[in-house]
Amino acid sequence: MRIAVISGSPKGEMSVTLQYVRFLEEAFPGHTFSVVHAGRDIRSIERQEEAWERLLATVAESDGVLWATPVYVMLVPAQLKRFIELIGERNAADAFFGKYAASLTTSIHYFDHTAHDYLHGICDDLDMRYVGSCSAHMEDLRKEAFQEQLVLFFSDFLEAIAEQRPVQRAYPPLPAPSSPCSPATPPAAVDTRGKRVVILHDGEPGSGLAAMVGGLAACYGGSARVADIRDAGMKGGCLGCCRCALENTCVYDDGYRAFWEEYIVPADILVMAGTVRDRFLSAAWKQFFDRSFSNGHVPAFKGKQVAYLVDGPLGHLATLREVLTGLAVMEGANLAGIVTGEPGGDVAAALHALAERSVRLSERGYVAPVTFPAVAGHKVFRDEIWGGMRAFFKADDRYYRQHGLYDFPTRDYGKRIGVRATSLAMAIPSVRRDVVKNMPAYMIQPLEKAIASSRVLAERKAGR
Ligand SMILES: Cc1cc2nc3c(=O)[nH]c(=O)nc-3n(C[C@H](O)[C@H](O)[C@H](O)COP(=O)(O)O)c2cc1C
């Protein structure tokens, strides 16, 4: 069988993910693997017709396509995102049509599912036959138990091709693009009350996105600072070199850091606006997100109100919504809202409501309690940083120590003693009977103190 491997890592042969492919090559000597370095060679792929044609031929001649990529900022690297955009822009879907496909990623399992969901959706859009995914932790290959599973994963992929197994589409096709929205002038500008509002976008003049950005800026009474992320002067996408780990300093000497300091750092309200390209925002936005990796795992939007404007069918893109939400809350912000330009909604009213809400929440300092992704995400980072990464990610380690983020339950000695004492008491039959009988009462008992003081707290917050 001929397998075309589309490698997403900018590190090329030095990619961790590619070592997993090399393992498969060794394990399956009867099959040929042709690697397309989409992540490493994206510049030449964009510029050189010959490079593009060569890689398309590799895909077209293959029996199956294996997307082998690291997870970068909850998705694939910007370089691979750009490659996927090129398939659409250059009408090259024919080379992928009907091919069996699977995805293999390495990561630390932080939003790896969204990367796989994205690739699955892309395969469905290309009319490929997506068989399945394998999400490896970047160190998994050292373990024999994982190696066995990897072999099983790949065997299943090969068998699916050999048997021409039927595969159902998981993600319905996206609706055709609607005509660009043109929000009407807002009824009255919102008083920003000294809050610093920044709107970042990558909208072309005259586009639906530009209209939304203009509409929102007007809602803020013209006091919002509006900037195009392409003016950050990024020389390229994140190289994945991790040289930023020690002091959170990127190897690129370009305008990204200054842009970040100029717009993102001082913002109380940060709005990010983008157009849907395939199933995510543009590769330019993805590059902007990837480059923020040099901030380390420090919550970069802490205490801010974050909002998004999305021009495109967000209602059909649950994964995009999950990533945008995850980006805001994982960085410590409150998600003030997402406004889309989808047909059927009153965009002007939604923009005005967003402006009003973002100012109100910013004034009150509201940051919504987080849900599972952010709770789980914190624990993944905490354990990974403490468990090994801190040897290199020095700035992260310092931040985690200073801000009490190494909050392992094992450090709460009072609680540990309490748990031990309760667990010993539970060995006494009468205590055990009482606890079983009164379990609901014991569960709410510790909350009663809070309820007793609630009125005082509410009055204090309301300034009464
Ligand atoms: C810019 C950047 C962003 C990353 N984002 C994530 C992420 O969102 N989730 C995750 O689990 N790992 C993330 N990682 C870790 C990589 O996925 C992991 O190190 C991977 O094995 C690198 O593979 P490669 O050597 O093939 O590029 C990120 C690494 C970099 C450099």
Side-chain angles (χ1 to χ4, degrees):
M1 218 85 79
R2 287 158 304 178
I3 304 299
V5 176
I6 302 182
S7 167
S9 178
K11 289 189 276 177
E13 299 293 344
M14 301 301 282
S15 150
V16 169
T17 320
L18 214 60
Q19 310 316 306
Y20 289 62
V21 175
R22 283 183 51 208
F23 173 91
L24 290 173
E25 261 186 288
E26 293 292 326
F28 294 87
H31 303 277
T32 56
F33 292 68
S34 307
V35 180
V36 170
H37 284 287
R40 185 193 64 188
D41 299 340
I42 191 61
R43 287 248 169 100
S44 51
I45 289 170
E46 271 192 297
R47 289 176 193 160
Q48 295 168 15
E49 176 85 17
E50 198 190 315
W52 176 249
E53 293 300 336
R54 216 173 28 241
L55 77 83
L56 278 191
T58 305
V59 172
E61 286 159 13
S62 72
D63 300 297
V65 173
L66 179 67
W67 301 88
T69 179
V71 178
Y72 275 12
V73 190
M74 306 177 172
L75 210 85
V76 301
Q79 295 88 337
L80 180 56
K81 173 73 178 60
R82 181 67 194 129
F83 173 79
I84 291 167
E85 288 179 5
L86 287 176
I87 300 171
E89 283 174 21
R90 296 178 178 177
N91 294 320
D94 279 357
F96 296 81
F97 182 85
K99 300 280 177 205
Y100 279 84
S103 54
L104 168 64
T105 61
T106 65
S107 68
I108 58 167
H109 290 311
Y110 172 77
F111 283 84
D112 49 346
H113 63 295
T114 40
H116 285 280
D117 290 348
Y118 169 74
L119 285 172
H120 191 163
I122 293 300
C123 288
D124 282 353
D125 291 346
L126 291 171
D127 286 312
M128 301 177 86
R129 292 186 261 189
Y130 187 85
V131 177
S133 63
C134 176
S135 177
H137 185 281
M138 56 188 292
E139 291 174 2
D140 272 346
L141 199 58
R142 303 175 190 184
K143 302 176 203 148
E144 201 176 316
F146 171 81
Q147 295 168 9
E148 285 169 9
Q149 295 305 318
L150 183 58
V151 166
L152 291 179
F153 157 75
F154 200 69
S155 304
D156 188 55
F157 180 42
L158 294 176
E159 285 158 18
I161 303 173
E163 295 164 18
Q164 294 286 292
R165 284 189 200 145
V167 175
Q168 255 190 344
R169 181 175 187 135
Y171 296 91
L174 295 173
S178 50
S179 51
C181 72
S182 46
T185 319
V190 170
D191 178 0
T192 52
R193 295 182 213 147
K195 295 294 171 193
R196 288 159 297 189
V197 183
V198 169
I199 306 175
L200 301 182
H201 70 95
D202 67 343
E204 299 299 337
S207 65
L209 187 69
M212 288 172 80
V213 168
L216 184 65
C219 291
Y220 287 113
S223 62
R225 296 184 71 202
V226 179
D228 188 325
I229 53 163
R230 290 165 298 186
D231 292 338
M234 287 180 277
K235 284 185 183 159
C238 175
L239 302 169
C241 64
C242 288
R243 293 198 182 101
C244 55
L246 288 178
E247 292 306 331
N248 288 357
T249 313
C250 183
V251 290
Y252 274 114
D253 182 15
D254 62 13
Y256 184 78
R257 177 51 50 191
F259 189 88
W260 186 278
E261 300 284 337
E262 162 100 24
Y263 291 103
I264 294 195
V265 173
D268 299 306
I269 298 167
L270 173 64
V271 183
M272 293 177 270
T275 304
V276 172
R277 304 284 304 271
D278 56 67
R279 287 179 173 264
F280 196 74
L281 304 183
S282 67
W285 259 118
K286 188 64 189 37
Q287 179 168 299
F288 193 85
F289 294 144
D290 288 0
R291 289 286 305 274
S292 74
F293 186 75
S294 59
N295 289 321
H297 301 82
V298 167
F301 301 156
K302 200 167 175 193
K304 297 181 194 299
Q305 298 295 322
V306 162
Y308 297 97
L309 305 184
V310 177
D311 184 25
L314 184 67
H316 300 258
L317 293 168
T319 301
L320 173 57
R321 185 178 284 274
E322 187 175 359
V323 170
L324 296 181
T325 306
L327 276 172
V329 298
M330 278 308 298
E331 298 292 348
N334 182 58
L335 181 64
I338 305 180
V339 174
T340 83
E342 288 167 292
D346 183 343
V347 181
L351 291 175
H352 194 263
L354 175 66
E356 191 276 329
R357 179 177 154 83
S358 60
V359 172
R360 178 165 28 88
L361 297 185
S362 180
E363 264 209 313
R364 294 181 182 172
Y366 180 67
V367 178
V370 290
T371 58
F372 172 72
V375 175
H378 163 64
K379 290 179 198 292
V380 168
F381 280 166
R382 179 193 69 186
D383 290 7
E384 289 286 341
I385 294 170
W386 192 86
M389 281 165 64
R390 67 192 161 125
F392 312 100
F393 286 74
K394 296 283 184 202
D396 283 350
D397 183 42
R398 258 196 316 276
Y399 188 89
Y400 268 59
R401 278 181 202 288
Q402 284 163 2
H403 293 81
L405 293 176
Y406 287 134
D407 54 356
F408 303 101
T410 48
R411 301 252 164 103
D412 190 343
Y413 293 102
K415 190 161 186 192
R416 279 172 69 181
I417 292 166
V419 169
R420 190 91 189 109
T422 311
S423 141
L424 285 171
M426 287 292 284
I428 304 165
S430 59
V431 173
R432 195 187 170 91
R433 266 197 308 278
D434 175 65
V435 170
V436 169
K437 190 167 154 218
N438 298 308
M439 190 65 114
Y442 283 126
M443 286 165 78
I444 61 169
Q445 199 179 24
L447 309 177
E448 270 160 18
K449 200 170 141 205
I451 296 166
S453 61
S454 66
R455 187 164 300 172
V456 178
L457 186 130
E459 284 173 1
R460 197 170 64 230
K461 274 280 166 204
R464 280 180 261 153

